[in-house]
Amino acid sequence: MSYLQLAIPSPLRRLFDYRPPRECSPEQLSPGVRVKVPFGRREVTGILINVTQHSEVPPDKLKPAIAVLDTTPPMPESILKLARWAANYYQHPLGDALSQALPVLLRKGDPCEYAHQHLWRSTPDADIAQLGKTAARQRELLLLLLEHPNGISEDAIRAEGGQTPLLKKLADKGLAESFIHNTDHHQHNDQPLHEAPLTLNTEQQLAVNAITATPGFKSFLLQGVTGSGKTEVYLQAIEHFIRQGKQALILVPEIGLTPQTVARFKARFNLPVVVLHSNLTDRQRLDTWLQAREGTARIIIGTRSAIFTPLKNPGVIFIDEEHDTSFKQQDGFRYNARDLAVMRANFEQIPVVLGTATPAIESLYNAQQGRYHWLKLNQRAGNARAPEFELLDIRQQPLQDGLSAPLVAQIKHHLQQGTQVLIFLNRRGFAPTLMCHDCGWLADCKRCDAHMTLHRKPFHLHCHHCDSQRPVPIKCDSCGSTELKPVGAGTERTEEALQKLFPSIPVIRVDRDTTQRKNAMQQIMDRVHQGLPCILIGTQMLAKGHHFPKVTLVAILNADSGLFSADFRGMERTAQLILQVAGRAGRADHPGKVVMQTHHADHPTITSLVTEGYQAFAEQELGQRIAAHLPPSIHCAMLRAEASHPGAAERFLGTLRNRLESDILQPQGVQWLGPLPSPMEKRAGLFRAQLVLQCRDRKNLHQQLHNIIREAEGDPDARKVRWSVDVDPVDMF
Ligand code: ADP
Ligand code: ZN
Ligand code: ZN
């Protein structure tokens, strides 16, 4: 007797044995095919890992599988290998990892094929006279079919008032037939380009040459200041691989925010460019996935999860804005798509390029260590010049709705020149919170250790951490006073103030609240690109990848907000954000200026950043990390736990640490930090704690994590807490 060993999407880190379904010869099944099985009270889709002759479970206890869903595995060998590698590296249950690597419809057990649309049409010699006078509704239906010689779907028939149950009657009489309509896959000609590529400058040419030089695996860090023409390097390197009949995969942080990048790919290539974005239906997503797998889609652009898209002829992988933390999944299967891209490129023996103006400190480290080949673009492309920085010391300046008087004067100056102004404020809403002027009470969230943000439109209090909302109180919760005042400024408030200061100039706010509608971002961009004077005010949504050729002044209102963060990466994030925002200025022929309001105008990090640039800052930062034994000079993992009772999560982690630390066989060199309450201990009603593990040796760290997971899974107390493991965390909260 043979058994099927399956990976099942479940929190349990083990495989499950099943008896094969009847009339199935297990020896003929390939690993990777999907198998529908009963699991608890549900039916789930598992993935075949092995066929074995032995099971540790007695055969009469094993349930039979319901059905084998595939003849060939949906995921090619390389993706299966990648997902298995990732499950192991990120210490995530294999079944769940494999499931997440598949499109949703395949997870649910749908057939691994394109959407076949079933249509109806009349038979070639159907004649309405063949129907008797009494069959009025059948006559109507047949007339409808005769009007649609190319076929009509059942949905469309119903929409026209036709009676679909009568279709069978017509079919029985030989008057109608159903057929399957295949959605066409575009055929394209031999000319892969729509438009001629730009003439590259020397730095760009060297980069393209390096990326396309030798076949096989190679990883590159392409560090180019904003506006240096990185995208043009991507386009021309991709052209090289396309001409060899290969495909390119491009990962970007957030597609909704970068319609321009997608548009540039579509404008350049006369080939199917597909985009895996969040507005796709599950059906469209599967079709796109199949096109990539079969090689009809040649250029695939997607966000994090697109790293698992199979490619028939892989040519090259690009990670745009590689420093962006959205490549790391922050819950469940906590993989980093950037790091997986390097692994995948290695498996598939192709080049991978990490592009950015502001490399993550760990990528810089990898480049310095020679693990990545370092390509640099130091010049802005075309005629654009680098922006000039000014630190605006606001220690003695009163702020009006977040704006200092010297800044308002500069905004006015630029608007008078007929150009555009961009204002960056990393806080949406009207004000960070509401305070009682009489007793100092603050509007706190009841479920989090956080203030609630005051929003004006619509008027309410909103917690940005747990999403809870409540009406704005009329009286202070604590002393009953009606003297409630908003504290600080968010984008809504500064927008209002700017509109009052400049009544004849359009003020356009860009944050999560104004861009929710589909195409909202595109409409805003269209408006800005008309080029008339305007003020853009927004959050980091404005920082990513946009081109604003008419913007000559960029103002950063709270440049130092991340300087004193509890997270050791606070400084790195602040620097990246400042430079990304600054990069929006003066991209075309207009010289740009960046004004940063700060209370710390003499802070060495800020000054080195603006006088010497990101590279100098980053090298200094890396030096400090190495000295302080922080990542990337050591490897790090984090255990998180949360529970509804205060202290329970911390106790759980503490017990784990004690048990493992006293084990004499524990791996060498693993350091424990904590457990400690998380920096925001209470969130969404749960009390959270964390325990950090650090080690120079990756293998020992993973061995210890393995032990921890085994211990935690066997711990009856683990049921009272939710715990998770995060390997290479990017966020220390
Ligand atoms: P990045 O991605 O590095 O921010 P882009 O590739 O978007 O830079 O290029 C910035 C601008 O410079 C774009 O408008 C682009 O068309 C233009 N550009 C890029 N390379 C060249 C070149 N070699 N010659 C002229 N213009 C260029
Ligand atoms: Zn009060
Ligand atoms: Zn909350």
Side-chain angles (χ1 to χ4, degrees):
M1 184 73 185
S2 305
Y3 306 103
L4 308 183
Q5 215 166 46
L6 302 181
I8 302 275
S10 99
L12 299 173
R13 287 171 170 81
R14 42 165 289 215
L15 300 176
F16 294 85
D17 295 347
Y18 282 85
R19 278 187 281 139
R22 240 174 268 137
E23 291 160 29
C24 160
S25 10
E27 285 68 29
Q28 280 161 21
L29 298 179
S30 323
V33 296
R34 293 172 303 149
V35 183
K36 193 175 226 47
V37 292
F39 190 72
R41 261 174 273 157
R42 297 176 300 143
E43 276 182 12
V44 301
T45 309
I47 291 191
L48 181 68
I49 300 297
N50 258 325
V51 176
T52 74
Q53 310 307 317
H54 309 280
S55 174
E56 285 169 18
V57 184
D60 55 320
K61 288 263 166 65
L62 286 180
K63 290 189 197 157
I66 298 164
V68 175
L69 300 177
D70 303 301
T71 44
T72 54
M75 272 189 273
E77 182 61 37
S78 60
I79 299 297
L80 213 51
K81 187 171 167 192
L82 181 70
R84 290 187 74 163
W85 186 88
N88 185 44
Y89 183 84
Y90 293 104
Q91 306 275 335
H92 194 72
L94 179 62
D96 194 56
L98 291 176
S99 176
Q100 289 203 39
L102 284 172
V104 171
L105 286 186
L106 297 187
R107 288 178 212 166
K108 289 185 182 160
D110 277 31
C112 186
E113 56 190 30
Y114 288 101
H116 293 304
Q117 232 186 331
H118 287 266
L119 299 184
W120 286 87
R121 64 186 166 204
S122 53
T123 47
D125 36 37
D127 185 353
I128 195 92
Q130 287 169 264
L131 285 171
K133 290 224 165 57
T134 48
R137 285 183 307 176
Q138 289 183 40
R139 290 170 69 97
E140 268 171 39
L141 189 59
L142 184 56
L143 278 173
L144 188 64
L145 298 184
L146 288 164
E147 280 168 26
H148 294 88
N150 294 328
I152 177 168
S153 70
E154 294 195 11
D155 282 346
I157 292 172
R158 270 190 293 273
E160 298 272 343
Q163 306 271 329
T164 47
L166 298 180
L167 286 165
K168 191 169 176 318
K169 290 228 166 105
L170 292 185
D172 290 344
K173 291 177 185 162
L175 298 172
E177 61 189 11
S178 75
F179 67 103
I180 288 170
H181 168 77
N182 274 313
T183 26
D184 291 340
H185 303 127
H186 332 262
Q187 289 301 315
H188 278 261
N189 54 30
D190 305 335
Q191 179 45 260
L193 297 190
H194 274 310
E195 56 172 29
L198 300 174
T199 307
L200 299 178
N201 64 31
T202 313
E203 286 178 331
Q204 287 175 313
Q205 190 64 59
L206 285 173
V208 172
N209 291 351
I211 296 164
T212 57
T214 40
F217 168 66
K218 215 167 195 181
S219 42
F220 298 91
L221 174 63
L222 174 61
Q223 181 176 0
V225 296
T226 42
S228 60
K230 288 184 295 297
T231 314
E232 190 60 34
V233 170
Y234 302 171
L235 292 168
Q236 297 201 22
I238 289 169
E239 181 189 339
H240 169 89
F241 292 100
I242 291 292
R243 288 189 188 276
Q244 297 181 338
K246 295 182 179 158
Q247 296 164 285
L249 175 65
I250 301 108
L251 299 192
V252 297
E254 252 175 293
I255 288 167
L257 301 182
T258 52
Q260 290 166 1
T261 308
V262 174
R264 275 175 78 184
F265 279 81
K266 290 191 168 165
R268 175 66 54 91
F269 293 104
N270 181 29
L271 289 165
V273 175
V274 298
V275 184
L276 290 158
H277 57 76
S278 53
N279 282 337
L280 292 184
T281 63
D282 289 343
R283 183 67 254 176
Q284 288 169 321
R285 193 169 281 274
L286 175 56
D287 282 356
T288 308
W289 188 88
L290 287 167
Q291 286 169 31
R293 192 184 72 165
E294 288 169 13
T296 40
R298 302 295 297 283
I299 296 172
I300 295 96
I301 306 177
T303 45
R304 180 176 61 226
S305 62
I307 189 57
F308 295 111
T309 312
L311 301 176
K312 176 115 184 278
N313 303 303
V316 62
I317 305 176
F318 284 90
I319 313 293
D320 191 25
E321 311 287 4
E322 66 87 25
H323 64 278
D324 198 288
T325 51
S326 72
F327 290 119
K328 172 90 171 164
Q329 183 143 290
Q330 303 277 18
D331 52 23
F333 183 16
R334 295 169 184 263
Y335 63 91
N336 188 326
R338 174 195 63 202
D339 298 342
L340 283 185
V342 176
M343 200 33 103
R344 176 171 180 177
N346 194 351
F347 289 161
E348 298 191 327
Q349 285 299 301
I350 58 172
V352 56
V353 182
L354 315 186
T356 177
T358 52
I361 301 293
E362 59 257 38
S363 298
L364 189 77
Y365 186 64
N366 280 330
Q368 281 188 355
Q369 303 274 309
R371 275 192 288 270
Y372 297 162
H373 297 259
W374 207 344
L375 305 170
K376 291 180 193 161
L377 308 179
N378 294 314
Q379 303 302 317
R380 283 195 152 192
N383 299 322
R385 274 177 281 152
E388 172 203 339
F389 280 91
E390 178 189 330
L391 287 174
L392 187 60
D393 190 341
I394 49 170
R395 268 173 294 197
Q396 312 295 332
Q397 305 268 0
L399 292 185
Q400 187 67 49
D401 302 304
L403 304 161
S404 65
L407 177 60
V408 172
Q410 296 211 39
I411 295 172
K412 190 169 175 187
H413 175 73
H414 281 260
L415 292 172
Q416 278 168 351
Q417 309 290 310
T419 59
Q420 300 175 336
V421 173
L422 185 153
I423 295 177
F424 174 77
L425 174 57
N426 216 4
R427 259 190 229 135
R428 69 193 168 93
F430 187 79
T433 192
L434 192 66
M435 186 173 79
C436 171
H437 196 58
D438 286 336
C439 79
W441 168 89
L442 293 167
D444 286 334
C445 175
K446 296 195 167 50
R447 307 175 66 220
C448 305
D449 292 331
H451 304 314
M452 292 189 93
T453 303
L454 178 67
H455 284 252
R456 206 51 166 287
K457 283 179 230 151
F459 195 51
H460 72 293
L461 290 172
H462 199 139
C463 174
H464 290 177
H465 301 282
C466 71
D467 218 28
S468 62
Q469 305 180 24
R470 60 181 160 116
V472 181
I474 299 161
K475 289 190 281 187
C476 170
D477 277 7
S478 167
C479 76
S481 158
T482 52
E483 289 294 300
L484 299 182
K485 296 265 176 349
V487 189
T491 48
E492 242 184 322
R493 184 173 196 170
T494 307
E495 175 198 19
E496 267 187 40
L498 287 163
Q499 195 63 83
K500 275 196 200 116
L501 287 166
F502 304 101
S504 62
I505 300 284
V507 178
I508 305 167
R509 174 158 59 94
V510 182
D511 56 25
R512 194 135 39 101
D513 299 315
T514 62
T515 52
Q516 265 174 1
R517 271 177 310 108
K518 208 176 155 187
N519 296 331
M521 197 70 182
Q522 186 64 56
Q523 283 163 10
I524 289 172
M525 291 303 145
D526 291 347
R527 218 173 138 195
V528 178
H529 286 288
Q530 287 171 4
L532 298 173
C534 68
I535 300 174
L536 276 158
I537 163 135
T539 56
Q540 72 257 38
M541 282 191 167
L542 276 178
K544 293 185 182 176
H546 303 292
H547 299 263
F548 299 116
K550 285 278 180 163
V551 167
T552 54
L553 175 66
V554 167
I556 303 178
L557 298 193
N558 54 346
D560 41 30
S561 62
L563 278 187
F564 305 100
S565 151
D567 191 329
F568 70 83
R569 287 193 180 84
M571 202 73 94
E572 176 186 354
R573 301 267 182 272
T574 305
Q576 287 166 346
L577 198 54
I578 287 175
L579 285 198
Q580 293 288 329
V581 180
R584 307 306 115 206
R587 288 175 68 92
D589 299 332
H590 305 273
K593 175 148 190 204
V594 181
V595 176
M596 294 160 60
Q597 292 191 154
T598 173
H599 287 99
H600 305 278
D602 40 20
H603 192 291
T605 309
I606 296 259
T607 48
S608 102
L609 184 66
V610 302
T611 54
E612 297 166 73
Y614 184 79
Q615 185 60 27
F617 155 79
E619 276 169 18
Q620 194 182 322
E621 177 73 15
L622 176 57
Q624 287 171 9
R625 296 258 189 100
I626 294 171
H629 304 291
L630 284 169
S633 65
I634 50 116
H635 304 292
C636 177
M638 180 134 109
L639 275 138
R640 292 189 179 80
E642 54 186 30
S644 48
H645 291 287
E650 210 177 326
R651 266 197 309 281
F652 167 75
L653 293 177
T655 314
L656 265 185
R657 174 176 173 170
N658 288 339
R659 270 195 240 141
L660 286 151
E661 232 177 354
S662 57
D663 184 343
I664 48 163
L665 292 177
Q666 73 160 321
Q668 294 291 302
V670 180
Q671 284 189 20
W672 303 75
L673 299 159
L676 288 169
S678 304
M680 184 192 290
E681 185 179 8
K682 188 174 158 200
R683 196 175 75 187
L686 295 173
F687 295 86
R688 310 176 310 144
Q690 60 194 38
L691 175 58
V692 174
L693 279 90
Q694 294 190 331
C695 191
R696 288 206 176 278
D697 187 283
R698 167 81 68 196
K699 245 174 66 207
N700 287 0
L701 178 66
H702 271 74
Q703 181 56 48
Q704 187 66 296
L705 282 176
H706 193 77
N707 298 346
I708 289 173
I709 287 168
R710 213 186 36 216
E711 191 72 30
E713 283 185 332
D715 183 347
D717 278 348
R719 279 175 234 279
K720 291 176 210 143
V721 297
R722 263 179 53 188
W723 60 274
S724 62
V725 185
D726 191 352
V727 178
D728 303 336
V730 295
D731 180 351
M732 300 307 276
F733 300 119

